[in-house]
Amino acid sequence: MENELLTSAPGYSVCEYLLILQPHEELWNTIIQEKKTFAEKFDCPTATYLKPHIALVHFKQYEMMEHHIVRRLKNITMALSPFKVELKGFGSFPSHTIYINVTSKVQIMNTVKELRDVQKLMKLDKDNKPHFITEPHIALARKLLPWQYEKAWLEYEHKHFNGRFMADHALLLKRKEGHKGWKTSDIFAFENRQYQIKQGLLFQ
């Protein structure tokens, strides 16, 4: 009872958070079209619900902790340099997910490594720890039924896809527990600020 009262109090409500990289508009639209084609062909409407993104970290936390997390994330991301993300072909997690391959993984994983500095703030409790991505990808369709996966993978295993975008910012999405829709909570620009500071010191 005490926990129920706590979680219903302002600031104590639990939210789900997702920090992502998002492709530019033209590529985003191309992927959305691919998702619509998949949804129609393999009777999978949920493929269109998930918008194109590369997840970096997924966590749950009390809403009152958000401003502390945002401040730490800003300190980390402003020191990052923009980098190119290359996409090529399709991959899968048998037997439930088909995704677009990310071939340029090193800088994404370096970014995730930097973000791990905030993991203590992202931990809600012992059962809800942050999940940092280990295999960067853009999901085309998830939670497929076995027949959907098998039929679709026969086609997508050999299907071509090429795309690229500059990752120059990350988006923090949030939704209250029990809700479906995600909202953008904050945007973090990659400003290479660390380098600029060093440059300034050199010429003082």
Side-chain angles (χ1 to χ4, degrees), residues 92-115:
S92 74
F93 299 130
S95 55
H96 52 77
T97 300
I98 292 175
Y99 58 81
I100 296 169
N101 275 321
V102 175
T103 56
S104 52
K105 296 179 181 177
V106 174
Q107 283 173 299
I108 295 174
M109 294 315 297
N110 286 343
T111 300
V112 171
K113 190 178 174 184
E114 295 288 335
L115 295 171

mmCIF file with all atom_site columns, all heavy atoms in Angstrom, residues 92-115:
data_model
loop_
_atom_site.group_PDB
_atom_site.id
_atom_site.type_symbol
_atom_site.label_atom_id
_atom_site.label_alt_id
_atom_site.label_comp_id
_atom_site.label_asym_id
_atom_site.label_entity_id
_atom_site.label_seq_id
_atom_site.pdbx_PDB_ins_code
_atom_site.Cartn_x
_atom_site.Cartn_y
_atom_site.Cartn_z
_atom_site.occupancy
_atom_site.B_iso_or_equiv
_atom_site.pdbx_formal_charge
_atom_site.auth_seq_id
_atom_site.auth_comp_id
_atom_site.auth_asym_id
_atom_site.auth_atom_id
_atom_site.pdbx_PDB_model_num
ATOM 1   N N   . SER A 1 92  ? 19.020 -10.685 -38.526 1.00 0.00 ? 92  SER A N   1
ATOM 2   C CA  . SER A 1 92  ? 17.882 -11.160 -37.731 1.00 0.00 ? 92  SER A CA  1
ATOM 3   C C   . SER A 1 92  ? 18.332 -11.718 -36.385 1.00 0.00 ? 92  SER A C   1
ATOM 4   O O   . SER A 1 92  ? 19.476 -12.131 -36.222 1.00 0.00 ? 92  SER A O   1
ATOM 5   C CB  . SER A 1 92  ? 17.119 -12.244 -38.501 1.00 0.00 ? 92  SER A CB  1
ATOM 6   O OG  . SER A 1 92  ? 17.833 -13.464 -38.500 1.00 0.00 ? 92  SER A OG  1
ATOM 7   N N   . PHE A 1 93  ? 17.398 -11.683 -35.438 1.00 0.00 ? 93  PHE A N   1
ATOM 8   C CA  . PHE A 1 93  ? 17.534 -12.401 -34.173 1.00 0.00 ? 93  PHE A CA  1
ATOM 9   C C   . PHE A 1 93  ? 16.508 -13.538 -34.239 1.00 0.00 ? 93  PHE A C   1
ATOM 10  O O   . PHE A 1 93  ? 15.305 -13.293 -34.049 1.00 0.00 ? 93  PHE A O   1
ATOM 11  C CB  . PHE A 1 93  ? 17.232 -11.498 -32.973 1.00 0.00 ? 93  PHE A CB  1
ATOM 12  C CG  . PHE A 1 93  ? 18.147 -10.315 -32.832 1.00 0.00 ? 93  PHE A CG  1
ATOM 13  C CD1 . PHE A 1 93  ? 17.617 -9.036  -32.651 1.00 0.00 ? 93  PHE A CD1 1
ATOM 14  C CD2 . PHE A 1 93  ? 19.523 -10.468 -32.874 1.00 0.00 ? 93  PHE A CD2 1
ATOM 15  C CE1 . PHE A 1 93  ? 18.452 -7.929  -32.511 1.00 0.00 ? 93  PHE A CE1 1
ATOM 16  C CE2 . PHE A 1 93  ? 20.364 -9.373  -32.740 1.00 0.00 ? 93  PHE A CE2 1
ATOM 17  C CZ  . PHE A 1 93  ? 19.838 -8.107  -32.561 1.00 0.00 ? 93  PHE A CZ  1
ATOM 18  N N   . PRO A 1 94  ? 16.962 -14.756 -34.559 1.00 0.00 ? 94  PRO A N   1
ATOM 19  C CA  . PRO A 1 94  ? 16.004 -15.870 -34.697 1.00 0.00 ? 94  PRO A CA  1
ATOM 20  C C   . PRO A 1 94  ? 15.288 -16.108 -33.369 1.00 0.00 ? 94  PRO A C   1
ATOM 21  O O   . PRO A 1 94  ? 15.932 -16.026 -32.331 1.00 0.00 ? 94  PRO A O   1
ATOM 22  C CB  . PRO A 1 94  ? 16.891 -17.058 -35.061 1.00 0.00 ? 94  PRO A CB  1
ATOM 23  C CG  . PRO A 1 94  ? 18.162 -16.450 -35.582 1.00 0.00 ? 94  PRO A CG  1
ATOM 24  C CD  . PRO A 1 94  ? 18.335 -15.169 -34.832 1.00 0.00 ? 94  PRO A CD  1
ATOM 25  N N   . SER A 1 95  ? 14.013 -16.366 -33.383 1.00 0.00 ? 95  SER A N   1
ATOM 26  C CA  . SER A 1 95  ? 13.143 -16.365 -34.546 1.00 0.00 ? 95  SER A CA  1
ATOM 27  C C   . SER A 1 95  ? 12.057 -15.309 -34.363 1.00 0.00 ? 95  SER A C   1
ATOM 28  O O   . SER A 1 95  ? 10.886 -15.605 -34.522 1.00 0.00 ? 95  SER A O   1
ATOM 29  C CB  . SER A 1 95  ? 12.517 -17.757 -34.651 1.00 0.00 ? 95  SER A CB  1
ATOM 30  O OG  . SER A 1 95  ? 11.879 -18.038 -33.375 1.00 0.00 ? 95  SER A OG  1
ATOM 31  N N   . HIS A 1 96  ? 12.471 -14.076 -34.025 1.00 0.00 ? 96  HIS A N   1
ATOM 32  C CA  . HIS A 1 96  ? 11.456 -13.083 -33.648 1.00 0.00 ? 96  HIS A CA  1
ATOM 33  C C   . HIS A 1 96  ? 11.685 -11.682 -34.209 1.00 0.00 ? 96  HIS A C   1
ATOM 34  O O   . HIS A 1 96  ? 10.773 -10.866 -34.204 1.00 0.00 ? 96  HIS A O   1
ATOM 35  C CB  . HIS A 1 96  ? 11.369 -12.988 -32.115 1.00 0.00 ? 96  HIS A CB  1
ATOM 36  C CG  . HIS A 1 96  ? 12.696 -12.756 -31.453 1.00 0.00 ? 96  HIS A CG  1
ATOM 37  N ND1 . HIS A 1 96  ? 13.315 -11.531 -31.443 1.00 0.00 ? 96  HIS A ND1 1
ATOM 38  C CD2 . HIS A 1 96  ? 13.527 -13.604 -30.809 1.00 0.00 ? 96  HIS A CD2 1
ATOM 39  C CE1 . HIS A 1 96  ? 14.478 -11.636 -30.792 1.00 0.00 ? 96  HIS A CE1 1
ATOM 40  N NE2 . HIS A 1 96  ? 14.633 -12.883 -30.402 1.00 0.00 ? 96  HIS A NE2 1
ATOM 41  N N   . THR A 1 97  ? 12.898 -11.362 -34.694 1.00 0.00 ? 97  THR A N   1
ATOM 42  C CA  . THR A 1 97  ? 13.190 -9.989  -35.112 1.00 0.00 ? 97  THR A CA  1
ATOM 43  C C   . THR A 1 97  ? 13.976 -9.968  -36.426 1.00 0.00 ? 97  THR A C   1
ATOM 44  O O   . THR A 1 97  ? 14.922 -10.737 -36.602 1.00 0.00 ? 97  THR A O   1
ATOM 45  C CB  . THR A 1 97  ? 14.012 -9.255  -34.033 1.00 0.00 ? 97  THR A CB  1
ATOM 46  O OG1 . THR A 1 97  ? 13.257 -9.225  -32.818 1.00 0.00 ? 97  THR A OG1 1
ATOM 47  C CG2 . THR A 1 97  ? 14.343 -7.824  -34.434 1.00 0.00 ? 97  THR A CG2 1
ATOM 48  N N   . ILE A 1 98  ? 13.578 -9.063  -37.325 1.00 0.00 ? 98  ILE A N   1
ATOM 49  C CA  . ILE A 1 98  ? 14.349 -8.783  -38.535 1.00 0.00 ? 98  ILE A CA  1
ATOM 50  C C   . ILE A 1 98  ? 14.715 -7.305  -38.488 1.00 0.00 ? 98  ILE A C   1
ATOM 51  O O   . ILE A 1 98  ? 13.879 -6.456  -38.154 1.00 0.00 ? 98  ILE A O   1
ATOM 52  C CB  . ILE A 1 98  ? 13.559 -9.137  -39.806 1.00 0.00 ? 98  ILE A CB  1
ATOM 53  C CG1 . ILE A 1 98  ? 13.382 -10.666 -39.885 1.00 0.00 ? 98  ILE A CG1 1
ATOM 54  C CG2 . ILE A 1 98  ? 14.268 -8.630  -41.062 1.00 0.00 ? 98  ILE A CG2 1
ATOM 55  C CD1 . ILE A 1 98  ? 12.519 -11.154 -41.019 1.00 0.00 ? 98  ILE A CD1 1
ATOM 56  N N   . TYR A 1 99  ? 15.973 -6.989  -38.780 1.00 0.00 ? 99  TYR A N   1
ATOM 57  C CA  . TYR A 1 99  ? 16.444 -5.614  -38.621 1.00 0.00 ? 99  TYR A CA  1
ATOM 58  C C   . TYR A 1 99  ? 17.353 -5.197  -39.774 1.00 0.00 ? 99  TYR A C   1
ATOM 59  O O   . TYR A 1 99  ? 17.829 -6.021  -40.561 1.00 0.00 ? 99  TYR A O   1
ATOM 60  C CB  . TYR A 1 99  ? 17.187 -5.454  -37.289 1.00 0.00 ? 99  TYR A CB  1
ATOM 61  C CG  . TYR A 1 99  ? 18.383 -6.367  -37.103 1.00 0.00 ? 99  TYR A CG  1
ATOM 62  C CD1 . TYR A 1 99  ? 19.620 -6.072  -37.674 1.00 0.00 ? 99  TYR A CD1 1
ATOM 63  C CD2 . TYR A 1 99  ? 18.276 -7.542  -36.346 1.00 0.00 ? 99  TYR A CD2 1
ATOM 64  C CE1 . TYR A 1 99  ? 20.715 -6.906  -37.496 1.00 0.00 ? 99  TYR A CE1 1
ATOM 65  C CE2 . TYR A 1 99  ? 19.358 -8.392  -36.164 1.00 0.00 ? 99  TYR A CE2 1
ATOM 66  C CZ  . TYR A 1 99  ? 20.581 -8.060  -36.744 1.00 0.00 ? 99  TYR A CZ  1
ATOM 67  O OH  . TYR A 1 99  ? 21.659 -8.894  -36.578 1.00 0.00 ? 99  TYR A OH  1
ATOM 68  N N   . ILE A 1 100 ? 17.578 -3.878  -39.862 1.00 0.00 ? 100 ILE A N   1
ATOM 69  C CA  . ILE A 1 100 ? 18.530 -3.316  -40.821 1.00 0.00 ? 100 ILE A CA  1
ATOM 70  C C   . ILE A 1 100 ? 19.903 -3.327  -40.154 1.00 0.00 ? 100 ILE A C   1
ATOM 71  O O   . ILE A 1 100 ? 20.057 -2.866  -39.023 1.00 0.00 ? 100 ILE A O   1
ATOM 72  C CB  . ILE A 1 100 ? 18.124 -1.884  -41.226 1.00 0.00 ? 100 ILE A CB  1
ATOM 73  C CG1 . ILE A 1 100 ? 16.768 -1.911  -41.955 1.00 0.00 ? 100 ILE A CG1 1
ATOM 74  C CG2 . ILE A 1 100 ? 19.182 -1.253  -42.124 1.00 0.00 ? 100 ILE A CG2 1
ATOM 75  C CD1 . ILE A 1 100 ? 16.153 -0.541  -42.162 1.00 0.00 ? 100 ILE A CD1 1
ATOM 76  N N   . ASN A 1 101 ? 20.888 -3.867  -40.873 1.00 0.00 ? 101 ASN A N   1
ATOM 77  C CA  . ASN A 1 101 ? 22.255 -3.965  -40.345 1.00 0.00 ? 101 ASN A CA  1
ATOM 78  C C   . ASN A 1 101 ? 22.907 -2.594  -40.198 1.00 0.00 ? 101 ASN A C   1
ATOM 79  O O   . ASN A 1 101 ? 22.838 -1.771  -41.117 1.00 0.00 ? 101 ASN A O   1
ATOM 80  C CB  . ASN A 1 101 ? 23.138 -4.778  -41.309 1.00 0.00 ? 101 ASN A CB  1
ATOM 81  C CG  . ASN A 1 101 ? 23.036 -6.258  -41.063 1.00 0.00 ? 101 ASN A CG  1
ATOM 82  O OD1 . ASN A 1 101 ? 22.963 -6.702  -39.920 1.00 0.00 ? 101 ASN A OD1 1
ATOM 83  N ND2 . ASN A 1 101 ? 23.025 -7.031  -42.135 1.00 0.00 ? 101 ASN A ND2 1
ATOM 84  N N   . VAL A 1 102 ? 23.549 -2.371  -39.078 1.00 0.00 ? 102 VAL A N   1
ATOM 85  C CA  . VAL A 1 102 ? 24.431 -1.215  -38.900 1.00 0.00 ? 102 VAL A CA  1
ATOM 86  C C   . VAL A 1 102 ? 25.855 -1.744  -39.061 1.00 0.00 ? 102 VAL A C   1
ATOM 87  O O   . VAL A 1 102 ? 26.297 -2.589  -38.285 1.00 0.00 ? 102 VAL A O   1
ATOM 88  C CB  . VAL A 1 102 ? 24.251 -0.579  -37.500 1.00 0.00 ? 102 VAL A CB  1
ATOM 89  C CG1 . VAL A 1 102 ? 25.255 0.544   -37.286 1.00 0.00 ? 102 VAL A CG1 1
ATOM 90  C CG2 . VAL A 1 102 ? 22.832 -0.053  -37.327 1.00 0.00 ? 102 VAL A CG2 1
ATOM 91  N N   . THR A 1 103 ? 26.556 -1.263  -40.091 1.00 0.00 ? 103 THR A N   1
ATOM 92  C CA  . THR A 1 103 ? 27.905 -1.798  -40.360 1.00 0.00 ? 103 THR A CA  1
ATOM 93  C C   . THR A 1 103 ? 29.006 -0.982  -39.673 1.00 0.00 ? 103 THR A C   1
ATOM 94  O O   . THR A 1 103 ? 30.120 -1.461  -39.514 1.00 0.00 ? 103 THR A O   1
ATOM 95  C CB  . THR A 1 103 ? 28.179 -1.868  -41.880 1.00 0.00 ? 103 THR A CB  1
ATOM 96  O OG1 . THR A 1 103 ? 27.997 -0.570  -42.450 1.00 0.00 ? 103 THR A OG1 1
ATOM 97  C CG2 . THR A 1 103 ? 27.230 -2.848  -42.550 1.00 0.00 ? 103 THR A CG2 1
ATOM 98  N N   . SER A 1 104 ? 28.689 0.249   -39.276 1.00 0.00 ? 104 SER A N   1
ATOM 99  C CA  . SER A 1 104 ? 29.687 1.097   -38.593 1.00 0.00 ? 104 SER A CA  1
ATOM 100 C C   . SER A 1 104 ? 29.391 1.101   -37.094 1.00 0.00 ? 104 SER A C   1
ATOM 101 O O   . SER A 1 104 ? 28.735 2.001   -36.581 1.00 0.00 ? 104 SER A O   1
ATOM 102 C CB  . SER A 1 104 ? 29.625 2.527   -39.144 1.00 0.00 ? 104 SER A CB  1
ATOM 103 O OG  . SER A 1 104 ? 28.294 2.998   -39.085 1.00 0.00 ? 104 SER A OG  1
ATOM 104 N N   . LYS A 1 105 ? 29.859 0.076   -36.390 1.00 0.00 ? 105 LYS A N   1
ATOM 105 C CA  . LYS A 1 105 ? 29.451 -0.115  -34.989 1.00 0.00 ? 105 LYS A CA  1
ATOM 106 C C   . LYS A 1 105 ? 30.417 0.489   -33.967 1.00 0.00 ? 105 LYS A C   1
ATOM 107 O O   . LYS A 1 105 ? 30.037 0.737   -32.837 1.00 0.00 ? 105 LYS A O   1
ATOM 108 C CB  . LYS A 1 105 ? 29.294 -1.615  -34.713 1.00 0.00 ? 105 LYS A CB  1
ATOM 109 C CG  . LYS A 1 105 ? 28.193 -2.251  -35.533 1.00 0.00 ? 105 LYS A CG  1
ATOM 110 C CD  . LYS A 1 105 ? 28.070 -3.729  -35.269 1.00 0.00 ? 105 LYS A CD  1
ATOM 111 C CE  . LYS A 1 105 ? 26.968 -4.313  -36.144 1.00 0.00 ? 105 LYS A CE  1
ATOM 112 N NZ  . LYS A 1 105 ? 26.813 -5.738  -36.006 1.00 0.00 ? 105 LYS A NZ  1
ATOM 113 N N   . VAL A 1 106 ? 31.664 0.706   -34.358 1.00 0.00 ? 106 VAL A N   1
ATOM 114 C CA  . VAL A 1 106 ? 32.700 1.081   -33.383 1.00 0.00 ? 106 VAL A CA  1
ATOM 115 C C   . VAL A 1 106 ? 32.354 2.364   -32.641 1.00 0.00 ? 106 VAL A C   1
ATOM 116 O O   . VAL A 1 106 ? 32.384 2.417   -31.410 1.00 0.00 ? 106 VAL A O   1
ATOM 117 C CB  . VAL A 1 106 ? 34.086 1.195   -34.059 1.00 0.00 ? 106 VAL A CB  1
ATOM 118 C CG1 . VAL A 1 106 ? 35.119 1.716   -33.073 1.00 0.00 ? 106 VAL A CG1 1
ATOM 119 C CG2 . VAL A 1 106 ? 34.528 -0.168  -34.593 1.00 0.00 ? 106 VAL A CG2 1
ATOM 120 N N   . GLN A 1 107 ? 31.988 3.432   -33.388 1.00 0.00 ? 107 GLN A N   1
ATOM 121 C CA  . GLN A 1 107 ? 31.712 4.715   -32.722 1.00 0.00 ? 107 GLN A CA  1
ATOM 122 C C   . GLN A 1 107 ? 30.426 4.671   -31.900 1.00 0.00 ? 107 GLN A C   1
ATOM 123 O O   . GLN A 1 107 ? 30.316 5.342   -30.878 1.00 0.00 ? 107 GLN A O   1
ATOM 124 C CB  . GLN A 1 107 ? 31.668 5.835   -33.769 1.00 0.00 ? 107 GLN A CB  1
ATOM 125 C CG  . GLN A 1 107 ? 33.074 6.230   -34.222 1.00 0.00 ? 107 GLN A CG  1
ATOM 126 C CD  . GLN A 1 107 ? 33.043 7.214   -35.374 1.00 0.00 ? 107 GLN A CD  1
ATOM 127 O OE1 . GLN A 1 107 ? 32.526 6.914   -36.435 1.00 0.00 ? 107 GLN A OE1 1
ATOM 128 N NE2 . GLN A 1 107 ? 33.582 8.397   -35.156 1.00 0.00 ? 107 GLN A NE2 1
ATOM 129 N N   . ILE A 1 108 ? 29.478 3.857   -32.346 1.00 0.00 ? 108 ILE A N   1
ATOM 130 C CA  . ILE A 1 108 ? 28.245 3.705   -31.548 1.00 0.00 ? 108 ILE A CA  1
ATOM 131 C C   . ILE A 1 108 ? 28.576 3.031   -30.220 1.00 0.00 ? 108 ILE A C   1
ATOM 132 O O   . ILE A 1 108 ? 28.145 3.469   -29.152 1.00 0.00 ? 108 ILE A O   1
ATOM 133 C CB  . ILE A 1 108 ? 27.182 2.897   -32.320 1.00 0.00 ? 108 ILE A CB  1
ATOM 134 C CG1 . ILE A 1 108 ? 26.729 3.670   -33.557 1.00 0.00 ? 108 ILE A CG1 1
ATOM 135 C CG2 . ILE A 1 108 ? 25.986 2.585   -31.409 1.00 0.00 ? 108 ILE A CG2 1
ATOM 136 C CD1 . ILE A 1 108 ? 25.788 2.911   -34.468 1.00 0.00 ? 108 ILE A CD1 1
ATOM 137 N N   . MET A 1 109 ? 29.388 1.969   -30.285 1.00 0.00 ? 109 MET A N   1
ATOM 138 C CA  . MET A 1 109 ? 29.747 1.255   -29.058 1.00 0.00 ? 109 MET A CA  1
ATOM 139 C C   . MET A 1 109 ? 30.640 2.099   -28.150 1.00 0.00 ? 109 MET A C   1
ATOM 140 O O   . MET A 1 109 ? 30.563 2.002   -26.929 1.00 0.00 ? 109 MET A O   1
ATOM 141 C CB  . MET A 1 109 ? 30.424 -0.078  -29.388 1.00 0.00 ? 109 MET A CB  1
ATOM 142 C CG  . MET A 1 109 ? 29.502 -1.085  -30.092 1.00 0.00 ? 109 MET A CG  1
ATOM 143 S SD  . MET A 1 109 ? 27.846 -1.218  -29.353 1.00 0.00 ? 109 MET A SD  1
ATOM 144 C CE  . MET A 1 109 ? 28.242 -1.826  -27.711 1.00 0.00 ? 109 MET A CE  1
ATOM 145 N N   . ASN A 1 110 ? 31.471 2.967   -28.742 1.00 0.00 ? 110 ASN A N   1
ATOM 146 C CA  . ASN A 1 110 ? 32.274 3.910   -27.944 1.00 0.00 ? 110 ASN A CA  1
ATOM 147 C C   . ASN A 1 110 ? 31.360 4.896   -27.213 1.00 0.00 ? 110 ASN A C   1
ATOM 148 O O   . ASN A 1 110 ? 31.612 5.262   -26.057 1.00 0.00 ? 110 ASN A O   1
ATOM 149 C CB  . ASN A 1 110 ? 33.261 4.667   -28.834 1.00 0.00 ? 110 ASN A CB  1
ATOM 150 C CG  . ASN A 1 110 ? 34.433 3.802   -29.270 1.00 0.00 ? 110 ASN A CG  1
ATOM 151 O OD1 . ASN A 1 110 ? 34.695 2.747   -28.680 1.00 0.00 ? 110 ASN A OD1 1
ATOM 152 N ND2 . ASN A 1 110 ? 35.139 4.220   -30.296 1.00 0.00 ? 110 ASN A ND2 1
ATOM 153 N N   . THR A 1 111 ? 30.299 5.322   -27.907 1.00 0.00 ? 111 THR A N   1
ATOM 154 C CA  . THR A 1 111 ? 29.312 6.233   -27.296 1.00 0.00 ? 111 THR A CA  1
ATOM 155 C C   . THR A 1 111 ? 28.624 5.542   -26.124 1.00 0.00 ? 111 THR A C   1
ATOM 156 O O   . THR A 1 111 ? 28.461 6.117   -25.038 1.00 0.00 ? 111 THR A O   1
ATOM 157 C CB  . THR A 1 111 ? 28.270 6.674   -28.350 1.00 0.00 ? 111 THR A CB  1
ATOM 158 O OG1 . THR A 1 111 ? 28.942 7.349   -29.413 1.00 0.00 ? 111 THR A OG1 1
ATOM 159 C CG2 . THR A 1 111 ? 27.223 7.590   -27.738 1.00 0.00 ? 111 THR A CG2 1
ATOM 160 N N   . VAL A 1 112 ? 28.214 4.284   -26.338 1.00 0.00 ? 112 VAL A N   1
ATOM 161 C CA  . VAL A 1 112 ? 27.552 3.510   -25.277 1.00 0.00 ? 112 VAL A CA  1
ATOM 162 C C   . VAL A 1 112 ? 28.489 3.356   -24.074 1.00 0.00 ? 112 VAL A C   1
ATOM 163 O O   . VAL A 1 112 ? 28.057 3.466   -22.917 1.00 0.00 ? 112 VAL A O   1
ATOM 164 C CB  . VAL A 1 112 ? 27.107 2.124   -25.813 1.00 0.00 ? 112 VAL A CB  1
ATOM 165 C CG1 . VAL A 1 112 ? 26.634 1.229   -24.673 1.00 0.00 ? 112 VAL A CG1 1
ATOM 166 C CG2 . VAL A 1 112 ? 25.998 2.288   -26.847 1.00 0.00 ? 112 VAL A CG2 1
ATOM 167 N N   . LYS A 1 113 ? 29.765 3.141   -24.352 1.00 0.00 ? 113 LYS A N   1
ATOM 168 C CA  . LYS A 1 113 ? 30.761 3.008   -23.274 1.00 0.00 ? 113 LYS A CA  1
ATOM 169 C C   . LYS A 1 113 ? 30.812 4.283   -22.418 1.00 0.00 ? 113 LYS A C   1
ATOM 170 O O   . LYS A 1 113 ? 30.869 4.225   -21.182 1.00 0.00 ? 113 LYS A O   1
ATOM 171 C CB  . LYS A 1 113 ? 32.138 2.736   -23.903 1.00 0.00 ? 113 LYS A CB  1
ATOM 172 C CG  . LYS A 1 113 ? 33.206 2.346   -22.905 1.00 0.00 ? 113 LYS A CG  1
ATOM 173 C CD  . LYS A 1 113 ? 34.502 2.048   -23.636 1.00 0.00 ? 113 LYS A CD  1
ATOM 174 C CE  . LYS A 1 113 ? 35.643 1.801   -22.657 1.00 0.00 ? 113 LYS A CE  1
ATOM 175 N NZ  . LYS A 1 113 ? 36.932 1.596   -23.358 1.00 0.00 ? 113 LYS A NZ  1
ATOM 176 N N   . GLU A 1 114 ? 30.763 5.450   -23.074 1.00 0.00 ? 114 GLU A N   1
ATOM 177 C CA  . GLU A 1 114 ? 30.755 6.729   -22.342 1.00 0.00 ? 114 GLU A CA  1
ATOM 178 C C   . GLU A 1 114 ? 29.489 6.862   -21.487 1.00 0.00 ? 114 GLU A C   1
ATOM 179 O O   . GLU A 1 114 ? 29.524 7.355   -20.364 1.00 0.00 ? 114 GLU A O   1
ATOM 180 C CB  . GLU A 1 114 ? 30.819 7.910   -23.338 1.00 0.00 ? 114 GLU A CB  1
ATOM 181 C CG  . GLU A 1 114 ? 32.097 7.998   -24.145 1.00 0.00 ? 114 GLU A CG  1
ATOM 182 C CD  . GLU A 1 114 ? 33.297 8.441   -23.327 1.00 0.00 ? 114 GLU A CD  1
ATOM 183 O OE1 . GLU A 1 114 ? 33.103 9.116   -22.298 1.00 0.00 ? 114 GLU A OE1 1
ATOM 184 O OE2 . GLU A 1 114 ? 34.434 8.106   -23.709 1.00 0.00 ? 114 GLU A OE2 1
ATOM 185 N N   . LEU A 1 115 ? 28.372 6.397   -22.038 1.00 0.00 ? 115 LEU A N   1
ATOM 186 C CA  . LEU A 1 115 ? 27.082 6.530   -21.342 1.00 0.00 ? 115 LEU A CA  1
ATOM 187 C C   . LEU A 1 115 ? 27.001 5.673   -20.080 1.00 0.00 ? 115 LEU A C   1
ATOM 188 O O   . LEU A 1 115 ? 26.195 5.943   -19.190 1.00 0.00 ? 115 LEU A O   1
ATOM 189 C CB  . LEU A 1 115 ? 25.938 6.149   -22.283 1.00 0.00 ? 115 LEU A CB  1
ATOM 190 C CG  . LEU A 1 115 ? 25.726 7.056   -23.503 1.00 0.00 ? 115 LEU A CG  1
ATOM 191 C CD1 . LEU A 1 115 ? 24.713 6.435   -24.455 1.00 0.00 ? 115 LEU A CD1 1
ATOM 192 C CD2 . LEU A 1 115 ? 25.270 8.455   -23.077 1.00 0.00 ? 115 LEU A CD2 1
#
